Amino acid sequence: MASRVIPVDPFDLVIFGGTGDLARRKILPGLFRRFCQGQMTPESQIIGAARAEMDDAGFRQLVADAITEFGPKDANPKDIAAFLTRLGYVAIDAKGDGGWADLKSRMRDGYVRAFYFSVAPALFGDLAQRLHTNDIAQTDSRIVVEKPFGKDLQTARALNATLSEHFREDQIYRIDHYLGKETVQNLMAVRFGNMLFEPLWNAQYIDHIQITVAETVGVGGRGGYYDTSGAMRDMVQNHLMQLLCLIAMEPPAKFDPDAVRDEKLKVIRALDPVLPHHIVRGQYEAIGEQPDYRSAVENPRSRTESFIALKTHISNWRWAGTPFYLRTGKRMRSRTSEIAVVFKETPHSIFGPEAGSHRNALIIRLQPDEGITMDVTIKEPGPGGMRLVDVPLDMTFAEALGPDAQDVPDAYERLIMDVIRGNQTLFMRGDEVEAAWAWTDPIIQGWEARHDVPKTYESGSMGPDDALALMHRDGRKWRDVR
Ligand code: BG6
């Protein structure tokens, strides 16, 4: 099954924060892969822009090193050399005049113009304004902004207002890299491309849905940021919320940006407030040489959570009565992200009580081993009567699609190509982000008002025991993750 690569229009992409961590780890190695695949055409150019004084050669060396460290291990030196010729660098002062004339002189007419703001949100306004006053942004130019998009509803509104002074909504691409993951898009293909699932996709047939995004890493070198954020702001408000939306939304009339985003917005607006006893917060303990959470963020009294589990409901016709359980955390047992749609039991068991209780489950695995599994109940093989057993029907994409599954672009590179194509379907709209904060804010304010202290949990576990109890109380359990 050969995957088709359709080249995008030639572009001028400026990466503000071009020497930063995200640029080196994800954006530039990702663009290199798109270049090797022929999707980024050789006429395109990428301009790094940052505060540091550096010339084009210096930036090319930085990118060559980034590709060696974070890019494909089998990168061909000729490809790297060809890619580097497409790169330039401008030292820029986001709050002053320095560098803007140079940047303007490098932009070419007739090419798609995109500006990636891989910088602190405090600079978004300055950059947006200077792109205009220096006559660099055009009416069809695009800007790409990274999370965190605000830290609450008020700051998100202010950011939206600032950006909208200079750019229309259809020029603003708010990245949530989870939407660029292959399986996340497959989720929509599976739901809306098959007759099989949609008729069963509601509270009548589905018992509950659980979403797990578990990481083995700790907060690493990002303690300063993370301690002001926590799992709720860092993961739930955006990544888990987006997964929830795609699972729960009504079928859009077509796969077009506003149709999809309208449906997602309706889900967020229908989310019930979360009751305090339906949330468990945790902080990881030390393991081996690895420090505990509070030491890692250098804040011995920190009350920020590195783990969260919660239960919520969506108050609409489709989902009334079906709970959604969400959990995410750092330093957990394994790096596993999955969505499990757990169906109800059959209304009556013709095999009698000894057959036990069985539930179908559709598991959508984001990582590792992207794929979909359906747990189906069958007869246990062999003599001895009718005993039932649940077995997985497994479709690991790497096996089903063969070598082509290796060429699947990673989330960032796919999303950047969408920016160049002008397709906003996989980006968050301003009202969506605000609605997500409107749901999250009262939860966080509640913790602050109660001086809530997270429970500690063992590193390498699946979070505090209370997270297990959250499900047990309802007669359910979290799926075991590998
Ligand atoms: C980021 C968070 O948005 O997503 C990080 O800020 C987190 O804290 C990361 O580690 C997880 O992304 P992925 O793609 O590795 O699951």
Side-chain angles (χ1 to χ4, degrees), residues 186-195 197-198 201 246-247 249-252 255 318:
N186 233 319
L187 178 55
M188 285 187 275
V190 166
R191 272 195 69 189
F192 304 128
N194 295 285
M195 193 56 208
F197 301 111
E198 203 48 29
W201 212 259
L246 297 179
I247 276 282
M249 71 184 187
E250 296 300 314
F255 191 58
R318 186 187 284 263

Side-chain angles (χ1 to χ4, degrees), residues 26 147 177-178 181 213 215 217 222 225-226 234-235 238-239 330 335 337 367:
K26 295 285 183 189
K147 71 179 264 273
H177 79 279
Y178 266 57
K181 291 185 188 268
V213 178
E215 297 184 273
V217 290
R222 299 161 74 223
Y225 150 76
Y226 194 90
D234 186 51
M235 297 293 287
N238 36 76
H239 304 326
K330 302 228 179 258
R335 180 168 186 257
S337 300
Q367 56 205 20

Side-chain angles (χ1 to χ4, degrees), residues 60-277:
R60 288 177 184 156
Q61 186 56 50
L62 178 142
V63 176
D65 294 345
I67 294 173
T68 310
E69 194 172 352
F70 303 111
K73 292 296 158 238
D74 55 351
N76 179 334
K78 276 196 193 140
D79 290 340
I80 300 184
F83 179 68
L84 295 183
T85 66
R86 309 318 310 143
L87 303 182
Y89 182 81
V90 176
I92 205 121
D93 180 2
K95 290 182 171 290
D97 297 332
W100 291 95
D102 184 7
L103 182 59
K104 181 174 163 60
S105 71
R106 293 184 183 227
M107 306 304 289
R108 302 165 302 169
D109 284 335
Y111 290 81
V112 174
R113 282 188 191 184
F115 304 95
Y116 200 125
F117 292 7
S118 180
V119 295
L123 294 178
F124 288 1
D126 293 306
L127 293 177
Q129 188 204 334
R130 282 174 177 72
L131 284 172
H132 274 278
T133 49
N134 291 287
D135 222 10
I136 297 174
Q138 300 173 324
T139 50
D140 59 351
S141 299
R142 290 126 216 205
I143 57 166
V144 184
V145 295
E146 269 293 330
K147 71 179 264 273
F149 198 85
K151 64 183 194 55
D152 54 19
L153 178 56
Q154 198 190 349
T155 49
R157 274 194 182 138
L159 270 181
N160 276 335
T162 305
L163 293 180
S164 68
E165 279 172 31
H166 306 286
F167 294 94
R168 295 182 315 273
E169 181 63 32
D170 65 338
Q171 294 180 285
I172 305 173
Y173 290 71
R174 295 175 195 78
I175 282 210
D176 182 314
H177 79 279
Y178 266 57
L179 289 178
K181 291 185 188 268
E182 181 73 7
T183 320
V184 173
Q185 293 166 71
N186 233 319
L187 178 55
M188 285 187 275
V190 166
R191 272 195 69 189
F192 304 128
N194 295 285
M195 193 56 208
L196 189 60
F197 301 111
E198 203 48 29
L200 306 179
W201 212 259
N202 55 54
Q204 203 186 337
Y205 297 102
I206 293 179
D207 177 73
H208 73 277
I209 289 176
Q210 41 179 286
I211 301 178
T212 298
V213 178
E215 297 184 273
T216 49
V217 290
V219 294
R222 299 161 74 223
Y225 150 76
Y226 194 90
D227 204 40
T228 58
S229 166
M232 191 69 173
R233 289 189 172 103
D234 186 51
M235 297 293 287
V236 178
Q237 186 271 348
N238 36 76
H239 304 326
L240 276 83
M241 181 80 90
Q242 289 296 322
L243 300 180
L244 173 84
C245 285
L246 297 179
I247 276 282
M249 71 184 187
E250 296 300 314
K254 45 186 168 166
F255 191 58
D256 105 348
D258 278 329
V260 170
R261 296 183 301 175
D262 285 347
E263 295 307 335
K264 289 198 300 175
L265 181 61
K266 286 184 208 160
V267 173
I268 303 175
R269 290 195 172 146
L271 277 174
D272 282 357
V274 182
L275 302 172
H277 62 285

